[in-house]
Amino acid sequence: MRLVAYALLGSTVACAAAGSARAADLPVRKAGPIEYVRVCSAYGAGFFYVPGTDTCLRVSGRARFEGGYITSYTRQAGTNSGDTSGYRGLLRINLDARTQTAYGTLRAFVRLDAGSRAGAAGVGRSGTQERLGLAYIGTGVDENGRVQQVMNVDKAFIQFAGLTAGRASSFFDFYAHDFELSSATAGSDVASTNLLAYTATFGGGLSATLSVEDPVFRRTPIFAPSGGTSPVAPVFVGYTRGVPSSFANIDSIQRERLPDVVGVLRLDQAWGSAQISAATHELNVGNIALGTGANAAVAHTKSVQGWAVQGGVKLNAPFVAPGDVLYLQGAYGDGAQFYTGYSTFSGSAGQSPATIQGQKFQQFFSDATIDPVTGQLQTSQSFTAVASYLHYWSPDWRSAVFGSYGEQSFGRGARLAQGAAFNVASTLAGSNPFGANAVGAPGTRFYQLSQALRDTYQFVAGASLIWSPVKDLDIGLEGYYTQIGLKSGRAIDLDKSPTAYSAANIAAINAGTFVPRTATQDSVSQIRFRVQRDF
């Protein structure tokens, strides 16, 4: 056995020696040098070179908590009302990639927002985001209409040699609620739209931009008495002895046809900035909807170009305190209410949304009505004016005070024409076919008091206080007051007389046997608390 052990040991040593000799003859692969991430100082702090490229990248983001209180005047069943508090958590991720080329900087920027909201409308839930498809709601018994999850591709654009292409903020906007936590004032603020734009720079801080933008994110519905998700508007198709006696329904849903065209002239100087913006916005509808009068020969409703103009100035005020800024802005729109931002508080992309819980009457934000006699579009007009001042009490403490005023008016005769359509439709149906969007028959008491297509105004005033104990951390509190009102006359108070629009009560109002409560204005106050960390 000892001889066998010696033999095995000798064989093992011999094999190891032979293996070492062969290994010495093989080529050796040396480890490559480790490539460390390098700081890129060409575009400011936070950028680094993507390993193996000449592209500089900055990763940043935000975390936010908000809680708020809003007054509520009703707990009526089925209205999702009665909430006085709301909460929101927000996540934001930014990626900013830049590469220097022979034509200048090539930039790509993307931003993803996600959030969870709950509670009162205007604080914890946004109807505008739901209408624009940026959020979805809970369906539980206690969650329906109160819980909302948000997922939004807020930015995804490319910039190169003056070109901007992708999803970005509208070039029309200027102030865009820069100093507000709640975006309370009336004014245009479309942070996410799809666009293709070119900016020419002339030197001395002067620039001009021409932008082609997606119209969907600027649409306010054409007025439809029936409302709902399949709105139609009446047009007369039959007459008896010169008096309208039958009608058809025009599909009032707007189609994606022409883009909006935005032009901007901007000046940036040491004293601040100034901007003039203009935009065109197409209004269109479909044909006669299937149903009553579908085969009637009615002139096709022609598309109309709405338009808007805006002017604003930003004034730096370091002579008051370092960092102080004053914004002044005004806008006017014809068939382009979204561009003036008149509906910002109540909610955009809806015919008559309401943030006030127990609101006495609805404001109508329609860009146009369809004349039931001619079948053609008749635009509405709106204007807004806003002022906002940011003041630094110290490097750690700052406040903003802000306010706005706006009005919306419908074309002369528009309400009278819709009243005539109501008269024909209700006579044929034997009741009110339009619900709370009914105008009423001209000359009646109900017509004088109904809420649809009334000219309205809106006033907002508010202030905030924000503490920044360390860099990029804000802890703030904001409060504001909003008042809406009729420019003339009175309207039925829906909170006190919620059934006034039923067929029986309309008849009773006209007969004088039912006298509903009425109102000329409504108001609401809101407080919002925020903790925000940017990185």
Side-chain angles (χ1 to χ4, degrees):
M1 291 296 295
R2 184 175 297 175
L3 291 175
V4 173
Y6 285 141
L8 290 174
L9 180 60
S11 298
T12 301
V13 173
C15 289
S20 298
R22 286 193 299 268
D25 295 335
L26 294 175
V28 177
R29 177 177 296 177
K30 297 182 179 179
I34 298 175
E35 185 170 359
Y36 295 96
V37 173
R38 295 178 295 132
V39 173
C40 175
S41 58
Y43 306 108
F47 283 88
F48 61 89
Y49 283 101
V50 176
T53 74
D54 57 356
T55 296
C56 296
L57 179 67
R58 184 175 189 269
V59 180
S60 60
R62 170 180 293 173
R64 175 192 291 175
F65 165 81
E66 285 184 337
Y69 170 84
I70 185 171
T71 52
S72 177
Y73 306 111
T74 184
R75 294 185 182 182
Q76 294 178 18
T79 60
N80 292 329
S81 296
D83 298 308
T84 58
S85 64
Y87 308 92
R88 178 168 73 149
L90 175 71
L91 170 153
R92 170 174 288 179
I93 296 295
N94 305 313
L95 298 176
D96 190 350
R98 306 189 193 190
T99 306
Q100 195 61 33
T101 74
Y103 299 94
T105 302
L106 170 61
R107 183 191 186 200
F109 182 85
V110 297
R111 171 181 292 167
L112 180 66
D113 281 344
S116 178
R117 306 172 65 133
V123 182
R125 178 172 59 87
S126 169
T128 297
Q129 287 186 316
E130 289 177 12
R131 285 184 287 273
L132 291 177
L134 306 180
Y136 53 94
I137 60 173
T139 59
V141 173
D142 298 315
E143 290 77 22
N144 186 19
R146 291 186 171 90
V147 174
Q148 183 184 71
Q149 301 301 312
V150 179
M151 181 62 69
N152 178 29
V153 179
D154 183 63
K155 301 288 186 295
F157 63 81
I158 300 164
Q159 289 181 315
F160 177 65
L163 180 73
T164 302
R167 188 161 174 80
S169 300
S170 172
F171 278 90
F172 183 89
D173 295 346
F174 183 61
Y175 168 58
H177 303 106
D178 281 1
F179 301 151
E180 303 170 38
L181 304 186
S182 308
S183 299
T185 56
S188 180
D189 185 0
V190 176
S192 303
T193 189
N194 305 313
L195 57 81
L196 177 65
Y198 179 77
T199 300
T201 303
F202 303 109
L206 182 65
S207 64
T209 300
L210 182 65
S211 180
V212 177
E213 302 187 359
D214 193 334
V216 166
F217 298 99
R218 289 287 192 180
R219 282 202 172 130
T220 299
I222 305 299
F223 174 75
S226 58
T229 57
S230 300
V232 293
V235 59
F236 297 135
V237 295
Y239 295 81
T240 301
R241 297 177 182 178
V243 178
S245 58
S246 62
F247 69 96
N249 287 319
I250 291 180
D251 175 7
S252 64
I253 297 175
Q254 299 185 68
R255 273 64 174 176
E256 188 86 354
R257 293 175 181 166
L258 294 180
D260 288 2
V261 179
V262 174
V264 175
L265 188 63
R266 183 182 178 98
L267 179 65
D268 293 289
Q269 298 283 322
W271 52 263
S273 305
Q275 179 172 307
I276 299 174
S277 307
T280 64
H281 177 69
E282 186 198 37
L283 307 177
N284 65 71
V285 296
N287 294 321
I288 291 180
L290 296 178
T292 305
N295 297 320
V298 177
H300 180 70
T301 303
K302 297 178 181 178
S303 298
V304 171
Q305 283 293 328
W307 56 272
V309 293
Q310 177 176 270
V313 61
K314 174 186 176 183
L315 301 172
N316 298 326
F319 48 86
V320 179
D324 278 28
V325 176
L326 170 67
Y327 269 105
L328 299 172
Q329 177 180 281
Y332 178 87
D334 185 286
Q337 179 274 144
F338 220 129
Y339 276 98
T340 64
Y342 179 66
S343 62
T344 297
F345 170 77
S346 294
S348 299
Q351 177 172 273
S352 56
T355 296
I356 301 176
Q357 300 180 82
Q359 190 163 312
K360 298 178 183 298
F361 53 83
Q362 302 288 85
Q363 291 176 287
F364 282 73
F365 302 112
S366 298
D367 282 336
T369 63
I370 300 177
D371 189 321
V373 177
T374 66
Q376 301 305 310
L377 291 168
Q378 187 175 9
T379 58
S380 64
Q381 294 76 42
S382 62
F383 77 84
T384 59
V386 60
S388 183
Y389 185 78
L390 179 67
H391 173 64
Y392 278 83
W393 303 98
S394 71
D396 297 341
W397 291 89
R398 66 186 187 273
S399 290
V401 291
F402 49 84
S404 69
Y405 179 82
E407 293 183 1
Q408 178 157 10
S409 303
F410 294 92
R412 181 180 297 275
R415 192 166 189 274
L416 183 65
Q418 291 297 322
F422 168 85
N423 191 30
V424 173
S426 58
T427 299
L428 294 176
S431 63
N432 169 23
F434 302 137
N437 291 335
V439 174
T444 64
R445 180 60 174 165
F446 178 76
Y447 177 80
Q448 296 175 353
L449 299 178
S450 63
Q451 62 186 357
L453 297 182
R454 301 292 291 271
D455 297 344
T456 58
Y457 72 85
Q458 182 185 115
F459 169 77
V460 180
S464 65
L465 179 64
I466 299 175
W467 178 42
S468 300
V470 296
K471 187 176 183 296
D472 296 326
L473 174 64
D474 289 343
I475 302 173
L477 183 68
E478 177 184 86
Y480 67 94
Y481 169 84
T482 301
Q483 182 183 104
I484 64 172
L486 302 178
K487 292 174 62 178
S488 63
R490 305 184 68 84
I492 296 170
D493 185 338
L494 286 178
D495 186 43
K496 300 296 191 297
S497 303
T499 63
Y501 285 84
S502 68
N505 281 335
I506 289 176
I509 291 170
N510 290 333
T513 57
F514 171 44
V515 181
R517 297 284 294 272
T518 61
T520 60
Q521 58 88 17
D522 201 356
S523 61
V524 68
S525 298
Q526 184 176 147
I527 298 173
R528 185 169 299 196
F529 174 73
R530 173 183 291 180
V531 179
Q532 178 173 297
R533 164 74 159 106
D534 290 285
F535 57 89

